Amino acid sequence: MLPTREQAWDLLTQYNREPFHLKHALTVEGVMRYFARTLGYAEEEDFWGLVGLLHDLDFEQYPEQHCIKEQEILRSLDYDERFIHAVVSHGYGLASEIKPEHEMEKVLFATDELTGLIGAAALLRPSKSVQDLELKSLKKKFKSTSFAAGCSREVIAQGAEWLGWTLDELLEKTILAMRVDEAAIQAWERSLSE
């Protein structure tokens, strides 16, 4: 069984209250939907998106048990094992022993940390947007290990390698992916303060 989008959002907000974590979930959902469409998995777009939305389900409340508690929660709801595997595989080598196997899992592994780096880089721009963020600028931020230090460059590079993409390809494609839903996510953020 898989959750509907509404059920997934309700579950996410049951375990997450911080706008930062919810924004990250929405961002990764959008990125995963984009890649599903552009990599030839359009019929699985909802699956990819839901995996992205729920990938950090347990992180806010159970950071020390990240990916472990998540499995318990998702299994208690009788969700499909393929779905659980996909959600948990993003933490491979850090919080999980479940290795990304499917192309979708590799995309999630590669882009999870990268969306944070791109988001931080965009905030430094006058526009505060990814719409005008260029690859050259992002590469400089990527090389500066003190910038967005919590975003693992090793994980991002490993993800690109697993996908068979150059690092530049991964960076550029993820910038494009984040542009698609940026306006909707910004509108959601504004609605929180109304």
Side-chain angles (χ1 to χ4, degrees), residues 113 145-153:
E113 299 276 322
T145 53
S146 62
F147 177 79
C151 299
S152 171
R153 275 59 168 179

Side-chain angles (χ1 to χ4, degrees), residues 90-108:
H90 82 278
Y92 178 71
L94 302 168
S96 163
E97 295 305 313
I98 297 175
K99 188 172 182 179
E101 294 167 3
H102 185 280
E103 188 171 19
M104 180 264 300
E105 295 170 345
K106 294 173 185 176
V107 168
L108 177 61

Side-chain angles (χ1 to χ4, degrees), residues 156-176:
I156 295 166
Q158 178 67 72
E161 186 181 316
W162 283 343
L163 286 163
W165 299 350
T166 65
L167 183 60
D168 282 8
E169 283 178 299
L170 175 62
L171 298 179
E172 191 154 38
K173 288 177 182 186
T174 308
I175 290 171
L176 295 175

Side-chain angles (χ1 to χ4, degrees), residues 40-58:
Y41 298 93
E43 71 285 354
E44 291 187 37
E45 181 182 334
D46 285 340
F47 184 88
W48 285 48
L50 292 170
V51 167
L53 186 66
L54 292 179
H55 79 283
D56 277 346
L57 173 66
D58 61 355

